[in-house]
Amino acid sequence: MKFNEALESIKTYEAGKPIELVVREYGIDKDQIVKLASNENPFGCSPKVKEAVRAIIDNMALYPDDSMVKLKTALSNKYGIKTNELIVGAGSDQVIEFAIHAKAHGGSKVLVNSVTFAMYEIYAKQVGAQIIRTASREHKMDEFYALYLEHKPSIIFLCTPNNPTGDGLDAGEMVSFIEKVDSDTLVIVDGAYMEYARFKDPSKAVEPRELIERFDNVLFLGTFSKAYGLGGMRVGYGIAQSHIIEALYKVRPPFNITTLSLEAASSALEDEAFVQACIADNFKEMARYEEFARAKGIDVIDSYTNFVTLSLPEEKNSSKIAQELLKKGMIVRDLSSYGLNAIRVTIGTSVQNDRFFELTEPLL
Amino acid sequence: MKFNEALESIKTYEAGKPIELVVREYGIDKDQIVKLASNENPFGCSPKVKEAVRAIIDNMALYPDDSMVKLKTALSNKYGIKTNELIVGAGSDQVIEFAIHAKAHGGSKVLVNSVTFAMYEIYAKQVGAQIIRTASREHKMDEFYALYLEHKPSIIFLCTPNNPTGDGLDAGEMVSFIEKVDSDTLVIVDGAYMEYARFKDPSKAVEPRELIERFDNVLFLGTFSKAYGLGGMRVGYGIAQSHIIEALYKVRPPFNITTLSLEAASSALEDEAFVQACIADNFKEMARYEEFARAKGIDVIDSYTNFVTLSLPEEKNSSKIAQELLKKGMIVRDLSSYGLNAIRVTIGTSVQNDRFFELTEPLL
């Protein structure tokens, strides 16, 4: 059977290996495995979230409230926006998919950073759009602007803080760039790790409300998968002026968020103290990674997220090191498929991090 | 901002009203509301499923096992197929989306029954494909064949039992039709209600394994949203030869099923006795609806599902009656948007059905 041509060029997304897979493939006892590969919150979600989900477990048979009133109200209060400036996706991932399906098509161009979240390219290729990349590892606004002028892309992705490198874009620089972009180009600001950046350095913090008050072509993305500790529940969101949200709604499938996920996300917003405590711990532990890297003479990218990216010296191979760690039950992310000789490590609990240092020490 | 042209013709899917909405709009006490609008299993899911989900509630922070080994193994055992002949979607809905995105495009044609599940058209329009419809309310294979010859569609949808009418296609007739279809046309057999049809009448039962052994262009769809009582968890699946599954995987987003949903669906397959008991009760209660309709002189379509479609006489208006019922806290589905003067009612528990008869009695 012949399928659409666009499919031929699509590579499948390489996800962090789940614990179950390592159990199966390496025969390691489940309790011995530490996963620092998918930037999950090592403290999980707030106990209040678990309680709230347990309380509605009888509702699994009922289709979700597709108007998502409870979650949308909570999010609009959090950000000081209207509910019609908001769309909820199965992870911010799905909002990326909506945006690309609504705005791009065969022949469109999508401008992204040299090294960035892999799904931008995968979704763009699904509609036959062409990916344009900058040259530098960090987001350089002058490179973006030159390529914008040359290619007139339909969509520009700015991922800040950037995944998988962890560096953050100066918010003022970003705004100055967006000012120069034509209003028919959709600028997507992916803030999946923004809670961490906001905590560490206000100059990197993007305020969605200010962005959409100022620009009619910006879509901000946020997620419950990282700081809010709900990676398994698949809830993210997009914030933009209502005319953009309306267009994205046209490609949204009904019931895209499960009944339990809606409840989990809504109740997660009621315990910001838990989230802030997790973030504080994250940066305390991150200092230990920086110290470890310094002691080993390894380059570590200044990170505004819940992970660190360790750039390895030439004589060390990131794939080999990730593989060695995997055999010992430590799952980290090898970044060789991103063209980097680096490993990305999620900041875990102090016990998990101890284990990382212990296992990595002899390899570096 | 300009979006893709295809979006202009898309109407949003009209979902069954959730209980929360009726509480908000009509100020009716939640306990007084009966929802017989979305074909959910009125007995919910098996208690074992609730137990299994409760047991892994700490895993909400962890990204799902994207290889879905546990669920895929359970499904492949159930159907006697290989795991690479299987793709899991967020509802069978999402598998429909995958199929259309992989196979159809602007200029493609998609052949569907006159009255059928609304999402086929919505997804087709998202890629700019054209919908071709048969004339009769029931699936007539000769009508499908004539339109197939005339239009050479990329995709044909056969929904059996059909939603929202409940009638079932004879399995032998269906196979004879597929035999005449070119192998480059994807025939999608949507069996969302197949568990009910199989119980009531073996001649309507489609066996996915036999279908895909025989045909290299058939995709069978199943779901956990109906008989398995997991409408809120968004899990469905597609079964086809591996070359089709591989193509669909290219447009599948990673982590499309939540961690809790994977567990819920896997454990639901371990309690088939619960599901069969629910189905038996369904048809016992359905007989009461048939009796009610007969007594009222109302036409009821012979149903192989967990709902009945009551075709109203000309002097009665389905929208008005559905609205009257809604004001009293009884949610049913008005089918006027499908061009039918009919209401679709999910078979509830005997108490819920009593309430339906009591409230509807004076209106008919």
Side-chain angles (χ1 to χ4, degrees):
Chain A
M1 176 167 295
K2 225 175 140 300
F3 288 96
N4 290 336
E5 264 175 43
L7 267 61
E8 287 163 24
S9 66
I10 300 173
K11 283 188 211 139
T12 305
Y13 176 73
E14 190 191 347
K17 286 189 196 298
I19 290 169
E20 293 85 347
L21 194 81
V22 180
V23 171
R24 288 194 301 273
E25 283 188 5
Y26 297 91
I28 300 172
D29 194 67
K30 200 169 173 172
D31 301 334
Q32 293 302 306
I33 295 172
V34 176
K35 183 188 173 200
L36 299 176
S38 298
N39 306 336
E40 292 144 338
N41 184 336
F43 301 101
C45 60
S46 158
K48 290 179 186 167
V49 173
K50 295 178 198 175
E51 215 174 283
V53 171
R54 269 195 210 99
I56 62 150
I57 218 136
D58 281 345
N59 293 358
M60 288 196 286
L62 300 178
Y63 278 87
D65 172 9
D66 204 37
S67 61
M68 306 188 197
V69 175
K70 191 172 170 184
L71 177 56
K72 286 174 80 174
T73 304
L75 276 170
S76 68
N77 289 340
K78 173 181 166 73
Y79 284 113
I81 56 167
K82 300 192 198 97
T83 52
N84 68 358
E85 292 167 334
L86 187 57
I87 188 165
V88 180
S92 50
D93 229 83
Q94 195 182 33
V95 186
I96 296 168
E97 190 185 16
F98 296 160
I100 288 176
H101 283 179
K103 179 71 182 167
H105 47 78
S108 295
K109 290 177 178 179
V110 174
L111 175 57
V112 305
N113 197 54
S114 160
V115 176
T116 196
F117 186 44
M119 290 308 299
Y120 308 150
E121 176 167 355
I122 293 173
Y123 289 124
K125 284 190 169 169
Q126 283 178 10
V127 298
Q130 185 191 341
I131 284 281
I132 310 291
R133 285 184 189 280
T134 59
S136 300
R137 192 193 65 195
E138 286 181 55
H139 282 63
K140 303 260 192 213
M141 290 298 97
D142 53 346
E143 289 180 15
F144 269 89
Y145 189 57
L147 289 169
Y148 159 73
L149 289 178
E150 186 184 343
H151 292 283
K152 291 286 174 193
S154 316
I155 302 179
I156 300 173
F157 279 97
L158 302 175
C159 186
T160 182
N162 190 31
N163 180 8
T165 53
D167 54 299
L169 185 52
D170 179 87
E173 251 185 76
M174 190 189 76
V175 166
S176 304
F177 166 71
I178 301 174
E179 274 172 351
K180 293 186 289 185
V181 171
D182 182 272
S183 73
D184 193 42
T185 298
L186 180 63
V187 180
I188 301 182
V189 178
D190 186 343
Y193 297 91
M194 190 55 76
E195 290 85 358
Y196 297 98
R198 185 170 291 122
F199 182 96
K200 182 173 177 177
D201 181 353
S203 77
K204 310 281 186 184
V206 170
E207 293 306 330
R209 189 178 52 77
E210 289 170 18
L211 264 192
I212 72 165
E213 269 174 6
R214 189 148 172 188
F215 300 110
D216 63 0
N217 61 335
V218 171
L219 171 65
F220 176 88
L221 304 180
T223 185
F224 287 90
S225 300
K226 308 301 176 186
Y228 286 88
L230 290 173
M233 300 304 279
R234 317 301 298 127
V235 193
Y237 49 90
I239 295 174
Q241 287 187 11
S242 60
H243 67 105
I244 295 177
I245 298 300
E246 273 164 34
L248 302 193
Y249 252 92
K250 293 220 168 186
V251 294
R252 183 193 73 100
F255 311 119
N256 59 323
I257 312 296
T258 78
T259 298
L260 300 191
S261 301
L262 285 173
E263 184 66 21
S266 307
S267 52
L269 290 174
E270 290 168 17
D271 194 358
E272 292 283 357
F274 174 86
V275 174
Q276 292 306 314
C278 293
I279 295 175
D281 189 88
N282 176 73
F283 286 111
K284 207 181 74 194
E285 289 293 316
M286 188 183 283
R288 299 178 63 208
Y289 278 85
E290 289 162 348
E291 178 59 37
F292 175 80
R294 245 193 314 276
K296 285 285 177 183
I298 289 170
D299 193 30
V300 56
I301 302 171
D302 194 23
S303 171
Y304 296 84
T305 65
N306 66 342
F307 60 84
V308 284
T309 297
L310 305 173
S311 294
L312 303 183
E314 259 179 55
E315 68 275 15
K316 299 288 181 184
N317 178 296
S318 64
S319 306
K320 275 190 194 159
I321 287 180
Q323 189 61 32
E324 282 301 313
L325 289 172
L326 194 60
K327 284 186 204 160
K328 293 171 179 160
M330 170 63 61
I331 320 175
V332 300
R333 189 76 72 98
D334 166 32
L335 297 185
S336 60
S337 68
Y338 289 84
L340 301 178
N341 184 34
I343 57 171
R344 193 192 70 184
V345 188
T346 306
I347 311 295
T349 61
S350 67
V351 173
Q352 291 174 322
N353 300 331
D354 286 345
R355 182 92 178 126
F356 174 82
F357 300 136
E358 180 196 330
L359 291 175
T360 311
E361 173 73 44
L363 301 174
L364 291 179
Chain B
M1 176 167 297
K2 225 176 139 298
F3 288 96
N4 291 335
E5 263 175 44
L7 267 62
E8 288 163 23
S9 66
I10 300 173
K11 283 190 210 135
T12 305
Y13 176 72
E14 189 190 347
K17 285 189 196 296
I19 289 169
E20 294 84 348
L21 194 82
V22 180
V23 171
R24 288 194 300 274
E25 283 187 6
Y26 296 92
I28 300 173
D29 194 67
K30 200 170 173 172
D31 301 334
Q32 293 301 306
I33 297 172
V34 176
K35 183 187 173 202
L36 299 176
S38 298
N39 305 337
E40 293 145 339
N41 184 335
F43 301 102
C45 60
S46 158
K48 290 178 186 167
V49 173
K50 295 178 198 174
E51 214 172 284
V53 170
R54 269 195 210 99
I56 62 150
I57 217 138
D58 281 345
N59 293 357
M60 287 196 287
L62 301 178
Y63 278 87
D65 172 9
D66 203 38
S67 61
M68 308 187 196
V69 175
K70 191 172 170 184
L71 177 57
K72 286 174 79 173
T73 304
L75 276 170
S76 68
N77 289 339
K78 174 181 164 74
Y79 284 113
I81 55 167
K82 300 192 198 95
T83 52
N84 68 357
E85 292 167 334
L86 187 58
I87 188 166
V88 179
S92 51
D93 228 82
Q94 195 182 32
V95 185
I96 297 168
E97 190 185 16
F98 296 160
I100 287 176
H101 283 179
K103 180 71 182 166
H105 47 78
S108 295
K109 290 177 178 178
V110 174
L111 175 57
V112 305
N113 198 55
S114 161
V115 176
T116 196
F117 186 43
M119 290 308 299
Y120 308 149
E121 175 167 355
I122 292 174
Y123 290 124
K125 284 191 169 169
Q126 282 178 10
V127 299
Q130 186 191 340
I131 284 281
I132 311 292
R133 286 184 189 279
T134 60
S136 299
R137 192 192 68 193
E138 286 181 55
H139 282 62
K140 303 259 192 213
M141 290 297 97
D142 53 345
E143 290 179 15
F144 270 88
Y145 189 57
L147 289 169
Y148 159 73
L149 290 178
E150 186 185 343
H151 292 282
K152 291 288 174 191
S154 316
I155 302 178
I156 301 172
F157 279 96
L158 302 174
C159 186
T160 181
N162 190 31
N163 181 9
T165 52
D167 54 300
L169 183 53
D170 180 87
E173 249 185 77
M174 188 189 77
V175 165
S176 303
F177 166 72
I178 300 175
E179 272 171 351
K180 293 187 288 183
V181 171
D182 181 271
S183 72
D184 193 42
T185 298
L186 180 62
V187 181
I188 301 182
V189 178
D190 187 342
Y193 297 91
M194 190 54 76
E195 290 85 358
Y196 297 98
R198 184 170 290 122
F199 182 96
K200 182 173 178 179
D201 181 353
S203 77
K204 310 280 186 184
V206 170
E207 293 306 331
R209 190 177 53 77
E210 289 169 19
L211 263 192
I212 72 166
E213 269 174 6
R214 190 150 173 187
F215 300 110
D216 63 1
N217 61 334
V218 171
L219 171 65
F220 176 87
L221 304 179
T223 185
F224 287 90
S225 299
K226 308 300 175 185
Y228 287 89
L230 290 172
M233 300 304 278
R234 316 303 298 128
V235 193
Y237 49 89
I239 294 173
Q241 288 187 11
S242 60
H243 67 104
I244 294 177
I245 298 299
E246 274 164 34
L248 302 193
Y249 252 93
K250 294 221 168 186
V251 294
R252 183 193 71 100
F255 310 119
N256 58 322
I257 311 298
T258 79
T259 299
L260 300 191
S261 300
L262 285 174
E263 184 66 21
S266 307
S267 52
L269 290 174
E270 290 169 16
D271 195 358
E272 292 283 356
F274 174 86
V275 174
Q276 292 306 314
C278 293
I279 294 174
D281 189 87
N282 175 73
F283 286 110
K284 206 181 73 195
E285 289 294 315
M286 189 183 282
R288 299 179 61 210
Y289 278 85
E290 289 162 349
E291 178 58 38
F292 175 80
R294 244 193 317 274
K296 285 285 178 184
I298 288 170
D299 194 30
V300 56
I301 302 172
D302 194 22
S303 172
Y304 296 85
T305 65
N306 65 343
F307 60 84
V308 284
T309 296
L310 305 174
S311 294
L312 303 183
E314 258 177 58
E315 68 276 15
K316 299 288 180 184
N317 178 298
S318 64
S319 306
K320 276 191 194 161
I321 287 180
Q323 190 60 33
E324 282 301 313
L325 288 172
L326 194 61
K327 284 187 205 160
K328 294 172 180 161
M330 170 63 62
I331 320 174
V332 301
R333 189 75 71 99
D334 166 32
L335 297 185
S336 62
S337 68
Y338 289 84
L340 302 177
N341 184 33
I343 58 171
R344 193 192 70 183
V345 188
T346 305
I347 310 296
T349 61
S350 67
V351 173
Q352 290 174 322
N353 300 331
D354 285 346
R355 181 91 179 128
F356 174 82
F357 300 136
E358 180 195 330
L359 291 175
T360 309
E361 172 74 45
L363 301 174
L364 291 179

